Amino acid sequence: MEQQTHRPGVFKQPNKRHKSDGNSARSEKVGGRQAPKAATKKKHKQQLDKKQRRNQMAVQRKAKREEVLNQKRSRGHDDTPPFLVGIIPLCRSIDSTDILNALKQCPDVNVMEGDRVCHVNSVRLKQRFAFLKPAADDIGAVLDAAKVADCLLFGLSIQESLGHYADHVLSCLFAQGLPSVIFCVQGLKSLPNKKQSETKKEITKHLEKRFPDIKVHSLDDEKDALLLLRAIGCQKLAKMQMREYRPHLLANEMTFEPSANDSTVGTLKVTGYLCGQTLNVDQAVHIPGFGDFQLLQIDSPYDPHRLSSRSKEISEVKVLEQANLETRTPLQPLLPVDPLSQEQTWPTEEELMEAEEERIQKKEKKMIRKQRVQKGISEYQAVWMEESIEYGPKESSSSDDDDDDEDMEGGYDDPMKAVSESSSGDEKDAEDVDDGEKQTDTMSVAASEYDQKVHFAADEDEMKRFKEARLDQMFPDEIEIPSNEPAKVLLQDYRGLASFRTSPWLHADEDCPVEYERIAIVPNFNSVRKALLKSLKKSDDHKECHPGRYLTLHIDKVPSDIMNEYNHQHPLVIFGLLKGEHYLTVVNMILQRFGDCEDVIESDEPMIFHVGYRRFSASPIYSQHTNGDKHKMERFFWKDNPVVATVYAPIIFPPASVLMFKQLRNGKEKLVATGRVLSVDPNRIIIERAVLSGHPFKINKKSAVVRYMFFNRDDILWFKPVELRTKSGRRGSILEPLGTRGHMKCSFNGSLDASDVVLMNLYKRVFPKLTYNARVPLPCASASYTETVDSDMEIFD
């Protein structure tokens, strides 16, 4: 029987026709005449088949593998510098010397001790290592070691948990930039087998937040030491752009030769392995805490730390390059003065003397006024009370005489009775006096000892600053004008703005200080930075001073006290400067308060900065971090919001980290803020705001009489064009002055309340002070690292 095919019936459902939008190729053919399209160039990607895609992925994988291998081969061999490892203990019971001694027990190693660096060559691994031990109680030494180290070896303890010191050190290292890290623990195998894994878990639990993929290595015997060295030599090295684009060198040996003419300066000879980029003898170098210097000569001595000792090697020193005094980089940070530029002239000596005398006279007047005012009266109240208060010894002497007369008149009638009562009272008083004198003697001795320990003058200054900060927080930018001084003279540099955000700041260059004529202003700074860093990758000059070579640098005119500061516990690091980095300019840095720091930080307060490879002191001014063309100055650095710190400093090409320290009274340094370099731009406009406040005296429907903002008629007429506002949101303007004592009639866009305050905003452009100082002495030694918990807390006090 044949199979019958299905035939559609009457009730078949017809499918709907596809409605195209006319953009398909078929519709173009069918739709009749079409408008001509503009010719466009389209890049047609070549379609790769499966085999070609596999080959492409294999090539990319091979390139990445070669890049990693080349990075590993750049350390630890004869023609490359050794693996530089910084040993940093994170616990009080750990000593870096014990960790180094345990690594020396590794089999098949050659140990070469040095004053600053210990070299360990492993014959089995065919690699060489250099170990550095910075002082544990000197955070500056730890930071300098991390700037050049390839790896940081952190020592942990099984008996002690991580405390405040470990958090402080890790926070500073994270803020500066952290190289590759490895953790080791000693004494782990002395525990029972069951507790070893538990102890490891407890140690890793404290570090998982900062290091998610942490692995703790045991260091108890020779096998553990060999595995630890293998892990150091095989790990992937972290990239730090700050040092990759600059030649840098860690001093293995250093000698000082004083100059024949001046014994305070001389030639510093530093020997070590060059890393990063090639070095030119005409290039300037930087020593952290001392500044920029010039090179005289570069030598190539014999490398005594080679893996293979060659008998044919010559131990003579080879001179590679000598500086040309005409072409080498000058060390003049400021440009010469042009007195005709922008119609600004350099002040003469007579003008400077007159300005100094005026400043001294104003200071003496303030001191006289403070002495004449009673205790507890502010300067603002003293101005009001100065005319009404009469000072003199006559009233007080007359009142004392009257009191004496009254006492004499109210005496005893019977003189014998008075004598007897006085004698009995004297005996009782004598006994009380003897007991009181003994107590006061003991109390006075204890009080005097306490007073010698406490700095009361510094406490009073701190209390004064704390009160000023609280007032600025409660009444931002408000100032008070004395009644006997005209406001148009005191505020002659200020101007009004209709809107701080949208109103332009006209004539921005007319009030620039004299320093702006001498600093370096780089137009299109980002383009210059990109071009400079790109040229470093292509440059093949100075192949003799290539990275990995053992060199001796002759640095000219170095202060003689460098040998005392940079001892064997504090590493000496030398960085080569890029083109133009020795010129002074204005650097803007974005900062955030560190941790739980509650100190009062005021603008123009001296601070110590660690910016990239530099360490210097300066007095920054702070401003808001906004996107506009104007930025409001902050009188205090508050904890909640980030600010931009502006200082005079040498040019530095970002990325560069920033750490800001505050020097305490005992000589120690306290970390108060961290951040990064935002820009190198002297044209960033920073505006200081001054707020004048007044109070409504008579209130009408849309007008009011305001007083206490000004105190004479001329000031009201001078500031009449400036717009007014109130704390409740009303806006208004000055109509006319009333009388001669500072009352004025004002109109507003709404009715005012009796408790409202009328405000006037005035603005002035401000600039940082030229307080840059490259010479920063090392901080005093902190509390002993092996003492009790109280000494550990002194680091943060």
Side-chain angles (χ1 to χ4, degrees), residues 75 81 243-248 273-278 546-548:
R75 294 288 187 274
R243 67 186 187 188
E244 282 188 359
Y245 293 116
R246 296 175 178 85
H248 56 275
Y273 294 95
L274 182 66
C275 301
Q277 298 288 332
T278 58
H546 58 80

Side-chain angles (χ1 to χ4, degrees), residues 536-594:
L536 292 176
K537 298 179 181 179
K538 298 181 179 180
S539 63
D540 295 330
D541 301 337
H542 309 286
K543 290 185 178 180
E544 292 184 351
C545 301
H546 58 80
R549 194 157 188 176
Y550 195 65
L551 301 176
T552 299
L553 307 182
H554 296 248
I555 307 175
D556 190 21
K557 296 181 181 179
V558 180
S560 59
D561 54 350
I562 191 172
M563 299 298 292
N564 299 328
E565 292 198 13
Y566 284 99
N567 50 24
H568 65 281
Q569 290 187 340
H570 195 110
L572 175 62
V573 182
I574 296 173
F575 278 87
L577 301 182
L578 298 180
K579 184 178 180 181
E581 282 192 327
H582 64 284
Y583 287 116
L584 206 66
T585 185
V586 176
V587 180
N588 304 305
M589 302 168 284
I590 179 171
L591 300 177
Q592 180 75 44
R593 289 291 287 265
F594 171 74

Side-chain angles (χ1 to χ4, degrees), residues 24-296:
S24 62
R26 185 175 181 182
S27 63
E28 291 178 2
K29 294 179 182 178
V30 179
R33 190 172 182 179
Q34 301 289 331
K37 293 184 177 180
T40 58
K41 294 182 179 180
K42 294 185 178 179
K43 295 182 179 180
H44 298 282
K45 290 186 177 180
Q46 186 179 1
Q47 297 294 333
L48 301 178
D49 57 6
K50 187 175 182 180
K51 186 176 181 180
Q52 290 174 338
R53 289 196 303 270
R54 283 184 177 177
N55 292 336
Q56 188 180 24
M57 293 173 62
V59 171
Q60 293 176 356
R61 190 164 54 249
K62 184 179 179 181
K64 289 183 180 180
R65 188 185 296 112
E66 289 180 356
E67 183 182 357
V68 174
L69 290 176
N70 291 334
Q71 188 179 8
K72 290 182 179 179
R73 290 169 186 156
S74 64
R75 294 288 187 274
H77 301 282
D78 280 341
D79 297 333
T80 58
F83 284 98
L84 183 57
V85 183
I87 303 176
I88 301 175
L90 293 182
C91 297
R92 193 173 293 105
S93 58
I94 297 297
D95 190 5
S96 57
T97 306
D98 297 337
I99 297 176
L100 183 57
N101 292 334
L103 291 171
K104 292 178 184 177
Q105 303 302 322
C106 182
D108 300 331
V109 296
N110 299 324
V111 180
M112 288 160 280
E113 293 282 355
D115 294 337
R116 298 176 176 274
V117 181
C118 178
H119 292 266
V120 177
N121 294 347
S122 177
V123 180
R124 182 178 299 184
L125 300 177
K126 297 181 180 180
Q127 290 177 333
R128 54 179 182 168
F129 306 87
F131 292 94
L132 182 66
K133 300 184 298 179
D137 57 351
D138 188 358
I139 190 61
V142 175
L143 293 176
D144 286 348
K147 290 175 184 176
V148 294
D150 301 316
C151 173
L152 293 181
L153 179 60
F154 292 110
L156 304 173
S157 175
I158 60 173
Q159 302 174 354
E160 186 180 353
S161 60
L162 300 179
H164 297 283
Y165 173 77
D167 293 336
H168 180 63
V169 170
L170 292 177
S171 299
C172 293
L173 291 175
F174 267 93
Q176 177 180 268
L178 198 63
S180 302
V181 296
I182 285 184
F183 295 88
C184 70
V185 59
Q186 288 183 312
L188 187 63
K189 292 187 177 179
S190 62
L191 300 175
N193 294 332
K194 294 182 178 180
K195 289 188 176 181
Q196 289 183 9
S197 60
E198 296 179 0
T199 307
K200 263 193 175 183
K201 288 181 181 179
E202 291 179 359
I203 292 174
T204 56
K205 186 178 180 181
H206 293 284
L207 298 169
E208 280 181 348
K209 292 182 179 179
R210 296 181 184 269
F211 307 95
D213 302 329
I214 181 177
K215 183 180 179 182
V216 180
H217 297 265
S218 177
L219 186 60
D220 291 327
D221 51 17
E222 298 179 357
K223 184 179 179 181
D224 294 339
L226 181 61
L227 292 176
L228 185 58
L229 284 181
R230 189 188 300 274
I232 295 173
C234 296
Q235 69 174 344
K236 183 180 179 181
L237 300 179
K239 292 184 178 180
M240 299 179 66
Q241 294 186 4
M242 183 268 296
R243 67 186 187 188
E244 282 188 359
Y245 293 116
R246 296 175 178 85
H248 56 275
L249 180 141
L250 174 68
N252 291 353
E253 300 175 1
M254 55 183 295
T255 57
F256 182 80
E257 295 181 359
S259 177
N261 300 328
D262 189 1
S263 60
T264 58
V265 296
T267 302
L268 180 67
K269 297 181 180 179
V270 180
T271 304
Y273 294 95
L274 182 66
C275 301
Q277 298 288 332
T278 58
L279 182 63
N280 183 8
V281 71
D282 294 332
Q283 189 175 358
V285 296
H286 177 78
I287 301 177
F290 281 84
D292 302 337
F293 300 94
Q294 293 175 327
L295 294 177
L296 292 175

